[in-house]
Amino acid sequence: MRAICPQLGFKSADVYYCRKKRYYGETKYPFFKMISFAWNGISSFSVVPLRLSGVLGAMALIVTAILTISTLGEYVAGNTIPGWTSLMIVILFFSSVQLICIAVLGEYLGKIFTETKRRPRYIIEEKI
């Protein structure tokens, strides 16, 4: 709610007040419940968590390329156990490919998610 209200485009203002100490009872929002509330706000309002897998996939692909060169160098130097080099390269490559595939699916899900909200692209403030 805190993120969606300013996006609607209506006039808003800040109201400052001095909050007094709670004398009776306990808060109904302990730390972990507030973290859960924040995560729900982030994940239900934005497609950024879906796009994060794409960034992680790209970074994993870069790390895979670097480690492939490194493991091939170790293989040429003879410092590896037989089969280790090919196993590492295959695991790293397919892990990064999986993350990139999840990112592609995430983009589709994000577009569907945005479209199902059926929010207007703009709000007409006044007709003349």
Side-chain angles (χ1 to χ4, degrees):
M1 287 303 285
R2 292 178 185 151
I4 198 168
C5 289
Q7 188 186 20
L8 291 176
F10 299 115
K11 294 179 184 176
S12 62
D14 295 332
V15 177
Y16 298 99
Y17 66 97
C18 184
R19 189 176 73 177
K20 296 181 181 178
K21 185 180 174 184
R22 178 189 291 260
Y23 289 110
Y24 302 105
E26 293 181 4
T27 180
K28 301 295 186 254
Y29 284 98
F31 178 73
F32 290 110
K33 195 170 184 180
M34 286 299 286
I35 295 293
S36 173
F37 183 62
W39 178 249
N40 285 337
I42 291 168
S43 62
S44 65
F45 186 70
S46 173
V47 293
V48 173
L50 293 173
R51 291 186 177 159
L52 184 62
S53 64
V55 173
L56 290 175
M59 288 177 15
L61 198 58
I62 292 169
V63 170
T64 298
I66 293 169
L67 289 178
T68 298
I69 293 168
S70 173
T71 55
L72 286 175
E74 291 293 321
Y75 177 73
V76 169
N79 297 332
T80 61
I81 299 171
W84 182 83
T85 304
S86 58
L87 183 66
M88 285 294 108
I89 292 171
V90 168
I91 288 173
L92 291 171
F93 177 73
F94 282 115
S95 297
S96 59
V97 167
Q98 282 180 344
L99 280 172
I100 291 172
C101 289
I102 289 171
V104 170
L105 290 173
E107 282 297 318
Y108 282 114
L109 283 175
K111 291 182 187 308
I112 292 169
F113 172 70
T114 305
E115 187 64 31
T116 57
K117 289 181 184 178
R118 301 187 58 94
R119 291 192 181 138
R121 295 177 194 231
Y122 51 86
I123 297 173
I124 300 172
E125 183 176 333
E126 177 182 356
K127 287 186 178 182
I128 299 176

